[in-house]
Amino acid sequence: MVTIQSKWRYLFMFLGIQLVVMALLSREGYQKRVTYFIRIFRKPDTTGLPGRNHTAVGISGGDVYANLSHISKAHGHGDGMPYCPKTSPFIGGPIHVSFPSGLTLAEVQRKNPLVVRGGRYRPPDCEARHRTAIIIPHRHREHHLKFLLYYLHPFLQRQQLNYGIYIIHQAGNYTFNRAKLMNVGFREAMREEDWDCLYFHDVDLIPEDDRNIYVCDSNPKHAAIAMDKFGYKLPYKMYFGGVSALTPLHYLKMNGFPNNYWGWGGEDDDIGVRVSLAGMYITRPSLKLGRYKMIKHKLDKGNDVNPKRFNMLAKTRQTWKMDGMNTAEYEIISRQYLPLYTNITVNIGTEAGLHAPPPPPKAGGKPAAEAPAEVPAKGPAKTPAEQKEGHSEKQSPPKGR
């Protein structure tokens, strides 16, 4: 009898221990505790590549400029230049992102001596395997732009890309139109060079891991899969916002981007639907690599929430072939090849069209003042096959080294 009672006692003790262990496993802190004990018994990794950012759990990444000192400063491009390795030796992994006060564009320029006029870069000691253009829709966001350039230039150099950065600046004070500016960016970038891949990049998103390689996939890529504002998770399956990448063929197949989304919201989802309607699908990096930190800010003046976005989205299946690259009208006001980027200021008109009629004069009041003279209308933007025509800007594009 005593023996049977002892067996039952041990059985209940065993079940109790199991319940305790299960309770511990279900707590949110389980992963941290297990990681802590693993790190106690694991030897430190000392076999990594020089300059690699070794980042333990819970510790922020390394300096984005840490590996640039290993890049040769000699420019030796010629017929005998070898191709860069398939995997860049300068990749470091997680990057520490912060926003120090007092940063200036002059400081960013000083830290990136190999970037040439127009924000162009080519690896100095090997032939890049990929040519990537970065398209950034912009207006009144200079404070954010300097931080993006501070991180993006070394980020791309570590990946050994041949790249150029284009800022597409919307002129005037009419409601912001991000997607139409991206149409402009695609066309104007392709006029200058036959880019393999074009990244459409919000000015307030900073990549946090340089293993998120800025090259295109066989299908349209959504790179900003894990933003800090969404808890580093994808908010919904068809989300295509923040940072995305297309080849020229992808862009043509989906008729580019919609031109009629004025204000905040809706255009990302429209673009995601276009991908599917064009017979393609969205690819993404892993949650671990596609991490981005957003520069916190309030909704911009002139970029109010678009109240029509849901009704417009419901009609995308009917409108995507009639509203896109084939209907994009705009006028180039200026093109500047600055030390860190190419700045293209553009008139994209209003919802009423590229040249909206002036408002009628008020009764008994003075007639409306005449608008300043602008560049003559271009008509519909041309396809990449018509690149030879170009625009008559004052400055010539930077030549390759």
Side-chain angles (χ1 to χ4, degrees), residues 102-332:
L103 179 67
T104 64
L105 287 178
E107 174 68 9
V108 180
Q109 184 181 351
R110 185 186 66 81
K111 293 179 74 69
N112 292 276
L114 298 183
V115 175
V116 300
R117 188 172 71 100
R120 302 287 287 272
Y121 173 87
R122 296 169 65 183
D125 52 1
C126 60
E127 189 69 31
R129 292 177 178 269
H130 305 280
R131 299 186 303 277
T132 299
I134 311 296
I135 310 298
I136 303 172
H138 178 270
R139 187 173 66 180
H140 307 320
R141 300 284 287 275
E142 286 75 13
H143 180 66
H144 296 167
L145 179 59
K146 65 183 179 183
F147 287 118
L148 177 59
L149 294 172
Y150 177 85
Y151 287 102
L152 197 55
H153 273 298
F155 175 90
L156 297 171
Q157 290 170 49
R158 286 161 69 147
Q159 297 181 0
Q160 293 186 307
L161 301 177
N162 176 348
Y163 72 84
I165 295 180
Y166 295 85
I167 307 301
I168 313 301
H169 181 84
Q170 180 175 333
N173 295 315
Y174 195 74
T175 307
F176 193 67
N177 190 325
R178 174 177 174 269
K180 190 169 185 179
L181 291 174
M182 295 194 303
N183 275 332
V184 175
F186 173 87
R187 293 182 175 278
E188 296 306 314
M190 292 301 295
R191 292 184 195 279
E192 291 194 351
E193 184 161 332
D194 186 19
W195 299 104
D196 299 331
C197 181
L198 296 99
Y199 263 72
F200 301 90
H201 209 298
D202 282 359
V203 72
D204 56 2
L205 287 177
I206 312 298
E208 295 186 72
D209 196 308
D210 64 3
R211 293 171 295 179
N212 182 9
I213 307 298
Y214 272 32
V215 299
C216 282
D217 290 343
S218 57
N219 280 275
K221 179 195 286 187
H222 177 226
I225 182 175
M227 301 183 200
D228 62 339
K229 76 167 185 175
F230 295 134
Y232 290 110
K233 296 178 182 178
L234 186 68
Y236 50 91
K237 184 178 180 181
M238 290 304 295
Y239 183 63
F240 202 66
V243 182
S244 56
L246 301 172
T247 67
L249 179 59
H250 296 155
Y251 179 89
L252 295 173
K253 287 180 69 175
M254 57 193 283
N255 192 24
F257 308 124
N259 297 301
N260 295 327
Y261 282 83
W262 298 90
W264 182 90
E267 80 283 354
D268 292 333
D269 296 315
D270 186 295
I271 296 168
V273 173
R274 285 169 181 251
V275 171
S276 177
L277 292 174
M280 301 180 287
Y281 60 88
I282 298 171
T283 66
R284 295 185 172 98
S286 68
L287 286 170
K288 180 180 179 181
L289 302 186
R291 294 169 63 93
Y292 287 78
K293 180 170 286 189
M294 175 173 281
I295 306 172
K296 295 181 180 179
H297 62 92
K298 297 179 181 178
L299 198 64
D300 302 322
K301 185 178 180 180
N303 191 27
D304 297 330
V305 173
N306 180 0
K308 304 176 184 177
R309 63 192 188 280
F310 296 118
N311 289 335
M312 296 171 69
L313 273 172
K315 300 175 183 177
T316 300
R317 185 177 292 274
Q318 290 77 42
T319 61
W320 73 283
K321 290 185 179 181
M322 299 178 290
D323 172 30
M325 58 157 282
N326 56 346
T327 57
E329 293 184 312
Y330 60 92
E331 295 171 339
I332 298 297

